[in-house]
Amino acid sequence: MVIVSLYKAVMTDTPHVRTIGELWREGVARKRPWPAYLVEQDGDWQAVSWAQAGRRVDELANGLLELGLRKGETFAILGSTRIEWALLDFALACVGAVTVGVYANSSARETRHIVEHSEAVGAVVEGEQQRAKLGGTALRHLLAFDELDELAARGRRYAAQHPGALDAAVAAVGEDDLFTLIYTSGTTGPPKGCMITHRNFHAMVTVVDRLPEFTQARDSVLLFLPLAHNFARLMHLGGPHIGYTIAFLDDPLRVFDALPQVRPQVFPSAPRFYEKIHAGVLQSLEQSQGAKRRVGEWALRTGYDVSRLRQAGKPIRPALALRHRAADRLLHAKVRARLGGRLRLGFSGGAPLSKDVCEFFHAIGVLVIEGYGLTECTAAVTVNRPDAFRFGTVGQALPGIELTLADDGELLVGGETVFAGYLKDPAATRDALDDDGRLRT
């Protein structure tokens, strides 16, 4: 059974102008002494400071202005989860262009449909494989990730000649202007372009101001999920607002190698990752023999005993606490070490995660929580919380989200994160939104 708490909260204390460009600039202006990003180079993780990232975004944004990119024009990004994707996204937001992300594994047909349907004037691609997908499309600008240095150089020259142009471009962007187009999966037809405004995503990012127990400043986040998806996009946009460090991993198959290197405190993932860890530990216990197996099973049972008490909000008896410390040394800490040793919070999204898996991770000292959301609501609608969770549910409504039930039982979602509609599809938009602007889920 899925249990959802229905309530309405009003978001407060937000900046006067809620755009992603302003959100980025406010984050950089805080001059945090820890890294903004970690980037893998030759097997090592290199730190990128907030100042370095800020300069790069300014250079790219000025380069886009030099190209003649105008407010409201659409620009596509085709590539894996890399820092180039993220910084270009912020640069496009600063000049008022509309980013449309395309999954790196999209077919050529899907890619051309999205680029043509969105009327993109340009695209940045990760490499020749992505460039080939755009064959036959009419674009004014087509760049590769490894050509962004030249775009930045053009931006520096443009800024020297037009010192106030970027500030004026940022100021010209309004809260209700489009920030991005996120295309649905298209399981029942061609993908539809969800129109997400600056206000939508700003409200989604800043909801964490009301949820301080989630991501925190100085946290490290390992991000491998595709940035074309709104969950990964939310994590990427939350970096400058909250102040956590993002380590970008462009190859999902290397997650198990990256975790002990990055040692994240927060890890957003799909259920499959958690399921593999769970299955691997249980298989290892089943294959072990004698005392080793008995000790492992005892340690896991002890973890479950503590987990059940903590879920119920009950105290841990001294004798159990003593056993739990021993169990942690013998088993739990070893499993956590495979995850980097510092993991505090795991997010699972995209599909349901078994309650058994959630309880397993809680038993070894890692909280994995689930939520519920839709692209049309700019990512999340409900979520479990570190101080209020129930495994097997999608948690409570987020602050600023209004959930109501229609007469036929359909869940309706209201609030500032509800999208502006489907691009070039007024009929589908009318079907999705009721007369009060609430989303029919």
Side-chain angles (χ1 to χ4, degrees), residues 28 46 57 60 138 194 196 219 235 238 324 343 359 361 375 394:
V28 172
Q46 304 294 326
V57 168
L60 293 173
C194 295
I196 310 294
D219 276 345
M235 297 301 300
H324 186 246
L343 188 59
E359 291 178 337
F361 274 93
T375 301
V394 294

Side-chain angles (χ1 to χ4, degrees), residues 181-305:
L181 292 169
I182 299 180
Y183 278 77
T184 61
S185 60
T187 53
T188 58
K192 296 192 292 288
C194 295
M195 298 188 290
I196 310 294
T197 67
H198 284 261
R199 183 196 305 270
N200 291 152
F201 242 127
H202 195 286
M204 188 74 257
V205 169
T206 56
V207 75
V208 297
D209 296 340
R210 303 280 297 277
L211 302 169
E213 67 273 14
F214 276 97
T215 47
Q216 302 167 7
R218 294 182 181 269
D219 276 345
S220 292
V221 177
L222 179 63
L223 189 60
F224 74 93
L225 300 173
L227 289 165
H229 189 274
N230 58 358
F231 183 31
R233 194 76 163 283
L234 173 61
M235 297 301 300
H236 135 59
L237 295 176
H241 182 69
I242 301 165
Y244 51 72
T245 301
I246 301 177
F248 290 107
L249 181 66
D250 61 1
D251 183 1
L253 297 179
R254 296 187 53 253
V255 167
F256 288 103
D257 295 329
L259 279 165
Q261 297 170 349
V262 174
R263 304 185 65 229
Q265 284 92 354
V266 178
F267 182 57
S269 180
R272 181 58 182 152
F273 168 81
Y274 299 110
E275 292 165 351
K276 288 181 69 173
I277 289 287
H278 173 245
V281 172
L282 295 186
Q283 183 180 36
S284 178
L285 287 177
E286 290 175 359
Q287 293 177 347
S288 59
Q289 302 293 327
K292 183 178 180 181
R293 177 170 180 169
R294 290 193 297 273
V295 168
E297 291 175 341
W298 170 85
L300 195 54
R301 285 197 306 271
T302 301
Y304 279 117
D305 291 341

Side-chain angles (χ1 to χ4, degrees), residues 22-245:
E22 292 291 353
L23 181 143
W24 167 253
R25 288 187 151 197
E26 289 163 6
V28 172
R30 292 189 176 100
K31 298 181 179 180
R32 299 172 174 117
W34 57 88
Y37 301 107
L38 296 176
V39 179
E40 192 176 22
Q41 294 180 347
D42 301 324
D44 193 18
W45 291 86
Q46 304 294 326
V48 177
S49 71
W50 291 99
Q52 289 173 316
R55 285 194 299 270
R56 184 65 165 187
V57 168
D58 282 356
E59 292 169 353
L60 293 173
N62 275 296
L64 294 169
L65 292 175
E66 199 273 340
L67 289 178
L69 190 64
R70 297 187 296 273
K71 175 185 172 182
E73 291 186 320
T74 303
F75 217 89
I77 306 178
L78 291 75
S80 56
T81 304
R82 290 172 44 168
I83 191 173
E84 292 90 344
W85 207 116
L87 297 186
L88 184 62
D89 192 30
F90 283 122
L92 290 164
C94 285
V95 303
V98 181
T99 301
V100 55
V102 183
Y103 290 98
N105 62 355
S106 293
S107 67
R109 180 179 179 180
E110 292 169 334
T111 300
R112 286 194 297 269
H113 168 77
I114 291 172
V115 169
E116 292 171 352
H117 184 265
S118 66
E119 299 182 17
V121 301
V124 175
V125 300
E126 185 170 2
E128 292 306 313
Q129 182 179 5
Q130 302 298 336
R131 188 192 298 267
K133 297 176 183 178
L134 294 172
T137 56
L139 296 170
R140 291 207 310 261
H141 314 288
L142 182 55
L143 306 171
F145 280 4
D146 59 10
E147 295 173 316
L148 292 178
D149 284 344
E150 174 56 30
L151 180 65
R154 294 175 67 171
R156 290 191 293 271
R157 293 192 293 269
Y158 182 84
Q161 298 167 0
H162 307 85
L166 181 54
D167 288 342
V170 174
V173 181
E175 297 179 0
D176 293 320
D177 289 329
L178 282 186
F179 161 61
T180 189
L181 292 169
I182 299 180
Y183 278 77
T184 61
S185 60
T187 53
T188 58
K192 296 192 292 288
C194 295
M195 298 188 290
I196 310 294
T197 67
H198 284 261
R199 183 196 305 270
N200 291 152
F201 242 127
H202 195 286
M204 188 74 257
V205 169
T206 56
V207 75
V208 297
D209 296 340
R210 303 280 297 277
L211 302 169
E213 67 273 14
F214 276 97
T215 47
Q216 302 167 7
R218 294 182 181 269
D219 276 345
S220 292
V221 177
L222 179 63
L223 189 60
F224 74 93
L225 300 173
L227 289 165
H229 189 274
N230 58 358
F231 183 31
R233 194 76 163 283
L234 173 61
M235 297 301 300
H236 135 59
L237 295 176
H241 182 69
I242 301 165
Y244 51 72
T245 301

Side-chain angles (χ1 to χ4, degrees), residues 328-374:
D328 191 73
R329 290 194 302 271
L330 292 168
L331 177 68
H332 309 164
K334 294 178 182 178
V335 179
R336 293 198 304 271
R338 295 173 58 185
L339 309 176
R342 299 192 302 177
L343 188 59
R344 182 184 76 250
L345 187 62
F347 294 110
S348 181
L353 182 63
S354 167
K355 182 180 178 181
D356 291 343
V357 177
C358 293
E359 291 178 337
F360 163 80
F361 274 93
H362 197 238
I364 65 167
V366 176
L367 178 61
V368 178
I369 57 177
E370 294 183 275
Y372 163 71
L374 307 89

